[in-house]
Amino acid sequence: MKNQVIKILVADDHTLFRQGIIRLLEDQNNFSVIAEAENGKELIEMYFNLFPDIILADIAMPELTGIEAVQEILIRDRTAKALFLSMYDAGEYVYKVIKSGGKGLVNKNILEDELFLAIDRVYKGDKYFGRKWNDENLKNLIDEFEKKSNENSKVDIELNLSLIHI
């Protein structure tokens, strides 16, 4: 496994940031950036042309968000592995990534060693959401958002039913 080169597709709409990530990854012997995309539509196209081992994508991009693009990819290829990069890594974003089928989320402010660790973990089939998100915290987060979602659904149903009677 040590000699395995991980093929990566980098997607971010900020050219300077994307090029910096690519240079950082290319400096490592075990990573190879095989393509880059600047929006969600390009991400989908590049993925199905090259089938990288890992998608490293920004959450917020034009055309389609990174999350929307990954959801589209996963409909057609359940084996795709996506690690998201964002300036935002609060619970709401972690939950959205999990629900999209993404395997991880890291903040753009992390150190390079943590990025390499996250890529390696996702490549091996694990999840990675940063050091503060262990399995128990992730489960609690999902439970919390699912409960809120269920409560909101009940309110919507009650509102719809009350409108019917008007």
Side-chain angles (χ1 to χ4, degrees), residues 2-79:
K2 284 276 187 208
N3 296 337
Q4 179 70 36
V5 175
I6 300 171
K7 297 178 294 185
I8 302 170
L9 165 56
V10 176
D12 194 293
D13 58 318
H14 297 96
T15 304
L16 186 62
F17 181 80
R18 188 177 66 247
Q19 290 175 347
I21 289 289
I22 290 169
R23 283 193 194 107
L24 184 69
L25 295 172
E26 288 290 341
D27 283 346
Q28 302 300 304
N29 294 333
N30 55 332
F31 300 136
S32 174
V33 177
I34 60 170
E36 60 182 284
E38 64 181 36
N39 63 57
K41 287 186 178 181
E42 280 185 12
L43 170 57
I44 294 169
E45 181 182 337
M46 293 293 175
Y47 180 85
F48 287 108
N49 284 338
L50 300 168
F51 293 95
D53 297 318
I54 298 284
I55 299 165
L56 185 59
D58 189 7
I59 285 180
M61 292 189 295
E63 304 284 332
L64 290 172
T65 67
I67 286 178
E68 292 167 334
V70 166
Q71 286 174 321
E72 184 76 26
I73 289 167
L74 285 168
I75 288 169
R76 295 168 46 196
D77 180 4
R78 298 298 306 159
T79 66

Side-chain angles (χ1 to χ4, degrees), residues 127-143:
K127 292 183 175 133
Y128 189 85
F129 289 91
R131 300 188 191 282
K132 75 174 188 175
W133 293 104
N134 60 35
D135 287 341
E136 184 179 337
N137 291 343
L138 288 172
K139 182 189 177 316
N140 291 339
L141 176 79
I142 293 168
D143 290 346

Side-chain angles (χ1 to χ4, degrees), residues 59 67 86 88-98 105 129 145:
I59 285 180
I67 286 178
S86 180
Y88 310 103
D89 60 357
E92 173 186 355
Y93 293 92
V94 171
Y95 178 74
K96 286 179 181 180
V97 166
I98 291 169
L105 170 66
F129 289 91
F145 275 90

